[in-house]
Amino acid sequence: MTPEVPRTPPRQARTRRDLPLFCGALIVALLLACAVAAPAVTQVLGFGPYEQVAPRDVTPPTPPDRDHLFGTDSMGRDQLSRLLHGARISLFVAVAAELVALLLGTTVGAIAGWMGGWADAILMRVVDLLLALPAPLLALAIIAAVPEPETAPILRNFPEPSLAIVLVVLGALGWAGIARLVRAEMLRLREEEYARAARAAGASGARIVLRHLLPNALGPILVVATLGTGGNILMEAWLSFLGVGARPPLPSWGTMVAEGQAYILTRPWVCLAPGLAILIAVLGFNLMGDGVRDRIDPRRRSVAA
Amino acid sequence: MRRVPRSARAALVVACALAAISPLYVGCRATQAPESRAEQVYRFRLREDPPTLDPAQVTDNLSEAVLVNLFRGLVSMDPATLAVVPAVAESWTVSPDGLTYTFRLRDDVVFHNGRRVIAEDVAWSFERLLRPATKSPRRWLLEPLDGAADFTAGRSEHLSGISVGDERTISLRLAKPFAPFLGMLTMPAAAIVPREVYDDPARAYLRAPVGCGPFRLARWEQSNVIELQAFDRFYEGRPKLDRVLVRIIENRQTALEEYRAGGLDSLDEVPREMTPDIRDDVRRYPFMGVGYLGFNLDRPPFKGNADLRKAINFAVDKEYLWNVLLPGGNSPARGIIPPGIPGYDPSLPGYPHDEAKARALLAKAGYPSGKGLKPISLWVNTSDDNRVIAQQVQADLGKIGVPVTIREVDWGAYLKAVEGTPEESGEAQMFRFGWYLDYPDADAVLRLTLHSRNIGPLGNYFRYRNAAFDRLVDEALALTDPGARAERYREAERIAVMDDAVWLFLNYFESATLFKSHVKGVVLTPLGEFRIPLERLWIEKAGG
């Protein structure tokens, strides 16, 4: 805000600026811990996410009590246990889909950015096309077109075909933005001194891209991937909410919200708990992504002070 | 005619009273008075668009919900007593041999297009239902008629079992005595339609049906609303309601909020969670229907394995499902024939929940603890209740080691997977189905859904074939003594339930409907919530 901007902000300002990154990382770490701990918690509690633990003479969902901190759902299953296992589903699908997107996007972006010319033109038009289509609707359409993931060749080998299709679709739709970013980075970095030097020394294109350019583009890629993972969590929940994602009885958070919506006024914990879980998870990834970006972007660094 | 001056006088009195308080307000009112009778509009909800409005094609209760208000047949069923009562026919006689039914038609029945209904219309409508080109899934309704087979096969120009006397007389002759025939003529598929509209290769009548019922179709906005208007020349007199709005609202919660907000006058799904504002609106009443999970008997693993089917029956805790998990609206079933229907057997043991028996039978079936069983696909059409039912079955079967995959699809995709064709079965291995009896007779469930003649879309989706069962059901058809008929049905039910375990027997239905207190004239009927006669309803809003 002031024209007189110090090159290195004072320590205090720096900590305040890193607060989102810290919070985001903390949330993501907690989520990971939940996902990892879920089977162990099942062991300790003595019941899993599929067991009907509510008393057999009371119509579920039963309210939270000492045995079931978040109550039970409409089938009498422990909500906490389902939430923890839901974290596994959410994180696994979101991260795996983002890895697929990263792989595709980086490859396409690097080829387009490095080669330029007609390859660039064609690849980027594909990217434009994909970015122009509304991703949620496209995802819905693709999933609807594969009514039997159990019988689809690639999907049927997964332990949960209904999740596999969500994973594949999210990955297949998420790469376009990454490709565009990586291409831009390639265009910028290939004119750098070290890139020219490597070229002058006779290094192959692939070597320059992989050894010199991509490592220098890692920061921005990380930011997009982190934000994309948050987006994937939301999208998986949304698809499951609509009933086309995770199949019952899988404890996807989206499915849990859908099953709880009938009780939103009378027994709100049934859909509030998974709803909050989605909110917190997406928030965590977004904060982390924003934080990382602030950290590596020199322009933002100075303005933030 | 007397109403208008009287309400005008009332308006004047009110106007005078108000004049003392606010001259300005009266100024506005005076231009609007006298107010004529408020428009009578009744709004109810369907969860999906009716698949068809052609009476010859209707097989589901959503279509019937609209159709029964547009069309009439020779006879109707009294909604409360289930007795056959006059409709387009004012009277009828049955010959002593039980073969010939002679109907005398009313002379004041007109179609919505203004033409009078004559006996020729009845003959043409019945022939239309039987004609192969119509492809009616309800053709069997008139198959008891003499010469029906020849006519359907194209060997005769006209149906020999139908003879038209004069404009107001028609006789129907059966090939052999068939007790439920008159009751079957009350079904929507036996509706009388005008030839000039329905003899149309372009099938414009699908969007613009014309009948002689109390209401006529005014508009149909897909997935939104169907509007019916009172038919002024309805033979029993114009209905009290001016308009009926059938609102298509898929989501149960949305529908409930709409009901609460006053956008619906009744609601066919009572929420699981009762709140004080709607508690007094609930009406529960018996309903002739039975719910089950069907087994595909033509595909593994259920083909030829009654022990597996029995194991599954014992494994599922139906008491918990209907008394605790989804209370209200259903009672746990032991068999096929629902209570209240002649032939219902209170002493039928059925399959009470027994995990130990289930495990033993599963081992006997060749799958000890489920070993060797591939995941079984359980198909349901999308609904909140179905999701609970499917997951409960999945959980209970999981306990004995039977793996189940739930397939949740919309109604069209569901029917496609379930119905199959007469030659080949659908792909669903197990599927949730509710069967509403079209007429209050065990014949309407035993023969229609389980006789080997009806394999495929006709109703026997399970592809059940049992000669002894078929024979008993056929015998019962020819008997006129109600006691002897019921005895046959009890026997047949025992074969299908206790020997063959053709279904996973789940529930007998009850209807539960929410009605706003201003809806008057409601006649609750075992025929179901969508068969409540709308021509008897009226709206009476306090202060309105």
Side-chain angles (χ1 to χ4, degrees):
Chain A
M1 306 302 147
T2 49
E4 208 52 32
V5 176
R7 273 204 75 76
T8 325
R11 193 171 183 76
Q12 207 181 345
R14 223 184 137 130
T15 333
R16 200 170 58 211
R17 202 183 57 237
D18 283 342
L19 194 64
L21 177 60
F22 175 73
C23 291
L26 189 71
I27 291 172
V28 172
L30 274 175
L31 279 176
L32 273 172
C34 285
V36 172
V41 172
T42 297
Q43 287 284 316
V44 172
L45 292 175
F47 50 77
Y50 305 114
E51 256 142 287
Q52 297 178 295
V53 291
R56 291 294 269 195
D57 54 351
V58 184
T59 299
T62 56
D65 57 22
R66 267 202 355 211
D67 295 329
H68 310 293
L69 288 177
F70 292 121
T72 62
D73 71 357
S74 59
M75 300 287 301
R77 299 170 297 206
D78 181 58
Q79 284 258 100
L80 178 61
S81 183
R82 287 179 75 73
L83 279 177
L84 292 180
H85 283 263
R88 283 171 89 80
I89 292 176
S90 266
L91 283 185
F92 173 74
V93 171
V95 171
E98 201 53 38
L99 288 178
V100 172
L102 263 183
L103 193 71
L104 277 170
T106 312
T107 313
V108 171
I111 292 173
W114 178 255
M115 289 181 67
W118 58 267
D120 182 31
I122 292 176
L123 288 173
M124 282 307 110
R125 291 305 80 71
V126 175
V127 167
D128 288 345
L129 189 72
L130 209 56
L131 288 174
L133 295 169
L137 298 186
L138 201 55
L140 205 57
I142 298 174
I143 291 180
V146 187
E148 291 272 357
E150 285 82 0
T151 57
I154 315 164
L155 304 172
R156 68 164 164 244
N157 296 322
F158 284 85
E160 291 293 348
S162 65
L163 285 181
I165 175 117
V166 175
L167 191 162
V168 170
V169 167
L170 292 187
L173 292 181
W175 62 269
I178 298 176
R180 179 175 273 187
L181 175 94
V182 171
R183 170 182 176 269
E185 288 292 308
M186 290 293 117
L187 289 181
R188 185 171 65 83
L189 293 174
R190 72 177 185 187
E191 302 306 326
E192 295 277 335
E193 295 286 334
Y194 56 82
R196 290 163 181 244
R199 216 173 318 165
S204 70
R207 187 182 162 86
I208 299 173
V209 168
L210 289 174
R211 289 293 302 269
H212 299 289
L213 303 192
L214 275 182
N216 279 296
L218 207 57
I221 295 177
L222 204 64
V223 172
V224 188
T226 315
L227 293 174
T229 309
N232 284 348
I233 290 181
L234 202 58
M235 191 83 114
E236 185 273 323
W238 180 73
L239 289 170
S240 296
F241 177 82
L242 294 181
V244 295
R247 289 256 168 83
L250 281 180
S252 160
W253 291 340
T255 316
M256 292 172 72
V257 174
E259 288 179 358
Q261 67 168 340
Y263 309 97
I264 191 154
L265 293 177
T266 49
R267 307 184 192 192
W269 64 88
V270 190
C271 71
L272 271 186
L276 282 174
I278 297 169
L279 178 86
I280 292 170
V282 177
L283 188 71
F285 277 99
N286 283 1
L287 283 176
M288 198 164 102
D290 281 347
V292 173
R293 183 175 55 200
D294 288 352
R295 200 73 196 258
I296 61 174
D297 189 337
R299 277 160 301 175
R300 280 168 184 272
R301 188 179 292 173
S302 51
V303 172
Chain B
M1 294 304 274
R2 282 236 300 264
R3 283 181 67 94
V4 180
R6 231 166 67 189
S7 65
R9 209 159 56 221
L12 199 70
V13 171
V14 172
C16 290
L18 285 170
I21 311 161
S22 164
L24 222 153
Y25 178 70
V26 175
C28 310
R29 274 310 282 175
T31 56
Q32 284 171 16
E35 190 78 23
S36 65
R37 183 181 75 108
E39 196 190 23
Q40 293 261 314
V41 184
Y42 174 70
R43 298 150 304 170
F44 72 99
R45 171 248 184 174
L46 287 186
R47 65 177 182 276
E48 280 177 43
D49 272 303
T52 179
L53 289 185
D54 179 356
Q57 303 300 337
V58 60
T59 55
D60 65 286
N61 62 333
L62 298 184
S63 302
E64 278 185 1
V66 179
L67 266 174
V68 290
N69 299 298
L70 303 176
F71 293 91
R72 279 293 181 272
L74 283 175
V75 282
S76 296
M77 187 161 281
D78 183 284
T81 63
L82 303 185
V84 176
V85 294
V88 172
E90 60 185 16
S91 64
W92 61 89
T93 55
V94 186
S95 64
D97 60 2
L99 284 178
T100 309
Y101 293 69
T102 306
F103 296 88
R104 172 91 178 144
L105 269 55
R106 299 173 68 119
D107 63 354
D108 56 351
V109 184
V110 283
F111 287 118
H112 298 155
N113 63 9
R115 188 171 66 73
R116 195 162 75 87
V117 178
I118 53 171
E120 273 301 336
D121 290 311
V122 183
W124 191 83
S125 302
F126 284 7
E127 285 183 0
R128 170 174 184 264
L129 190 72
L130 281 169
R131 203 165 280 139
T134 311
K135 296 199 183 90
S136 170
R138 286 281 193 256
R139 187 188 296 161
W140 49 262
L141 203 75
L142 296 174
E143 274 169 1
L145 284 174
D146 186 32
D150 281 347
F151 178 78
T152 303
R155 285 192 293 271
S156 58
E157 182 89 353
H158 283 287
L159 194 53
S160 57
I162 300 183
S163 53
V164 175
D166 55 51
E167 279 199 346
R168 294 181 57 192
T169 314
I170 187 166
S171 356
L172 307 177
R173 198 176 63 255
L174 307 187
K176 53 181 188 230
F178 178 66
F181 182 66
L182 204 55
M184 279 164 48
L185 289 184
T186 67
M187 289 176 61
I192 300 165
V193 296
R195 177 174 189 169
E196 64 272 22
V197 177
Y198 281 81
D199 196 2
D200 173 14
R203 303 203 295 170
Y205 52 79
L206 288 180
R207 303 290 303 184
V210 175
C212 57
F215 294 89
R216 54 188 189 79
L217 187 85
R219 72 188 157 111
W220 180 2
E221 285 172 28
Q222 207 81 22
S223 303
N224 181 24
V225 70
I226 297 172
E227 183 181 332
L228 310 180
Q229 261 170 10
F231 179 42
D232 293 329
R233 298 175 67 190
F234 181 54
Y235 59 85
E236 281 174 359
R238 185 185 191 276
K240 295 183 187 110
L241 296 174
D242 299 305
R243 289 193 299 149
V244 174
L245 294 178
V246 187
R247 300 189 53 193
I248 315 295
I249 304 174
E250 183 181 334
N251 184 282
R252 176 190 194 137
Q253 193 60 29
T254 314
L256 180 62
E257 293 312 323
E258 195 59 30
Y259 176 82
R260 281 211 174 95
L264 288 170
D265 299 302
S266 75
L267 183 59
D268 54 307
E269 278 185 283
V270 174
R272 229 167 287 157
E273 206 64 22
M274 207 54 75
T275 48
D277 58 327
I278 52 171
R279 188 166 292 139
D280 294 338
D281 294 353
V282 183
R283 313 281 274 275
R284 290 188 196 285
Y285 44 105
F287 173 62
M288 45 175 208
V290 58
Y292 53 82
L293 297 190
F295 299 120
N296 187 333
L297 301 174
D298 264 7
R299 280 181 192 270
F302 298 117
K303 186 178 182 173
N305 198 336
D307 285 328
L308 176 63
R309 306 194 296 263
K310 287 178 191 169
I312 286 176
N313 262 294
F314 276 122
V316 173
D317 189 347
K318 290 155 257 188
E319 301 280 336
Y320 179 62
L321 187 55
W322 303 118
N323 295 339
V324 181
L325 217 46
L326 297 171
N330 300 281
S331 54
R334 283 172 289 106
I336 301 170
I337 304 174
I341 299 297
Y344 168 69
D345 185 354
S347 65
L348 188 76
Y351 298 91
H353 181 53
D354 189 332
E355 234 180 276
K357 266 190 195 164
R359 284 177 203 282
L361 278 162
L362 188 62
K364 199 175 154 214
Y367 304 104
S369 307
K371 267 193 204 73
L373 262 183
K374 285 194 194 125
I376 295 167
S377 63
L378 165 56
W379 290 65
V380 296
N381 62 304
T382 312
S383 91
D384 293 343
D385 276 6
N386 274 349
R387 188 175 262 207
V388 171
I389 295 164
Q391 289 194 71
Q392 183 60 41
V393 169
Q394 187 182 43
D396 280 346
L397 293 188
K399 276 186 211 154
I400 63 164
V402 175
V404 171
T405 320
I406 298 170
R407 305 299 325 274
E408 214 179 331
V409 292
D410 64 77
W411 183 246
Y414 170 81
L415 269 189
K416 194 164 163 271
V418 166
E419 281 184 332
T421 65
E423 291 77 34
E424 204 185 342
S425 76
E427 62 172 309
Q429 290 176 296
M430 225 170 139
F431 46 93
R432 154 97 178 130
F433 218 97
W435 187 266
Y436 309 136
L437 277 64
D438 294 301
Y439 45 98
D441 193 311
D443 182 63
V445 56
L446 289 182
R447 186 170 58 87
L448 298 195
T449 68
L450 292 168
H451 197 291
S452 63
R453 249 199 326 269
N454 291 327
I455 281 176
L458 291 176
N460 187 348
Y461 311 133
F462 335 96
R463 321 186 79 78
Y464 177 55
R465 299 175 185 85
N466 184 318
F469 176 90
D470 285 358
R471 202 183 54 246
L472 283 165
V473 170
D474 285 336
E475 273 174 26
L477 267 191
L479 293 170
T480 44
D481 172 33
R485 291 190 69 215
E487 194 44 55
R488 296 291 191 291
Y489 286 135
R490 268 195 285 274
E491 218 177 304
E493 187 190 28
R494 266 180 196 266
I495 293 176
V497 175
M498 299 317 293
D499 297 349
D500 294 336
V502 287
W503 302 338
L504 165 46
F505 307 96
L506 278 183
N507 58 307
Y508 302 126
F509 287 117
E510 279 172 348
S511 299
T513 309
L514 294 170
F515 284 101
K516 296 274 189 197
S517 55
H518 59 245
V519 180
K520 306 292 181 192
V522 177
V523 182
L524 301 174
T525 163
L527 297 172
E529 67 266 36
F530 294 126
R531 296 288 287 272
I532 290 165
L534 300 189
E535 67 274 17
R536 303 197 196 174
L537 293 190
W538 73 93
I539 306 290
E540 205 173 282
K541 281 185 177 151

